[in-house]
Amino acid sequence: MWIVISLPLVVGAVTSGWAGFGWGVLAAALCGGVPAVIIFGGVRKGWFGDWHIGERSQRPKLVAVIVALVTVALGLLVVLGAPQVMVACVVIMLATLAVVGPITLRWKISFHTAVAGGSVVMLAWVLPAPVVVLAGGAVVVALIGWARAEIRDHTPAQALAGAIAGAAATAVTLTVML
């Protein structure tokens, strides 16, 4: 969740300065902040077993709520005239959910590595030295995947599949939109 909150802030600031950071705040709040509050509250109320939503049967309703929030964020960004790169940042979130969401109904693919993999691709797109960003990011994504497997929330295959799905959804969206 912290990546979903911080990525729009970084993308906005890097590409459009303080104004972009402001657009990033809007995207971060609706796409990451509100879902985090829902998840924390849901764990406290017993709706979810844990912060990671380890029980697959608890994921569909949460994914639907997140899709709705991301859609609202996208609509606001478009209507209010946000820069195209910020719109793309949020479309990437929907694209990743569109790929990973249906898979998680049958198989516990890793949302963590999907978000991380997509974030690396997005950062490589907007930051200087994309090869360095991709290399360093690959190490970070691998560590996240290792950690997810180590705590037994995912198998290595689920972590790898998530990373590939997130990176691919991001690459395709960026190529189409920018």
Side-chain angles (χ1 to χ4, degrees):
M1 194 62 61
W2 302 114
I3 294 174
V4 175
I5 292 170
S6 60
L7 183 67
L9 302 173
V10 172
V11 169
V14 166
T15 60
S16 303
W18 284 108
F21 183 80
W23 291 113
V25 169
L26 172 65
L30 288 172
C31 299
V34 174
V37 169
I38 291 169
I39 292 169
F40 278 126
V43 169
R44 288 188 59 173
K45 292 185 182 219
W47 299 341
F48 308 120
D50 58 51
W51 160 253
H52 298 288
I53 319 300
E55 179 59 44
R56 246 188 14 231
S57 65
Q58 297 171 342
R59 289 181 172 195
K61 288 180 185 174
L62 177 62
V63 169
V65 169
I66 292 171
V67 167
L69 287 164
V70 174
T71 302
V72 168
L74 177 60
L76 286 170
L77 290 172
V78 169
V79 169
L80 297 173
Q84 187 70 6
V85 70
M86 286 307 305
V87 173
C89 190
V90 174
V91 170
I92 286 165
M93 293 179 197
L94 284 175
T96 302
L97 286 166
V99 172
V100 178
I103 294 171
T104 199
L105 297 175
R106 296 255 183 217
W107 191 55
K108 196 177 168 198
I109 191 168
S110 174
F111 277 91
H112 287 84
T113 59
V115 169
S119 296
V120 168
V121 172
M122 181 73 193
L123 290 172
W125 194 279
V126 300
L127 292 174
V131 173
V132 174
V133 173
L134 289 171
V139 171
V140 172
V141 173
L143 287 172
I144 292 169
W146 170 82
R148 303 300 296 155
E150 187 67 20
I151 64 172
R152 301 200 193 302
D153 265 1
H154 294 285
T155 66
Q158 292 165 336
L160 178 61
I164 292 168
T170 301
V172 168
T173 302
L174 288 169
T175 301
V176 169
M177 291 190 69
L178 304 177

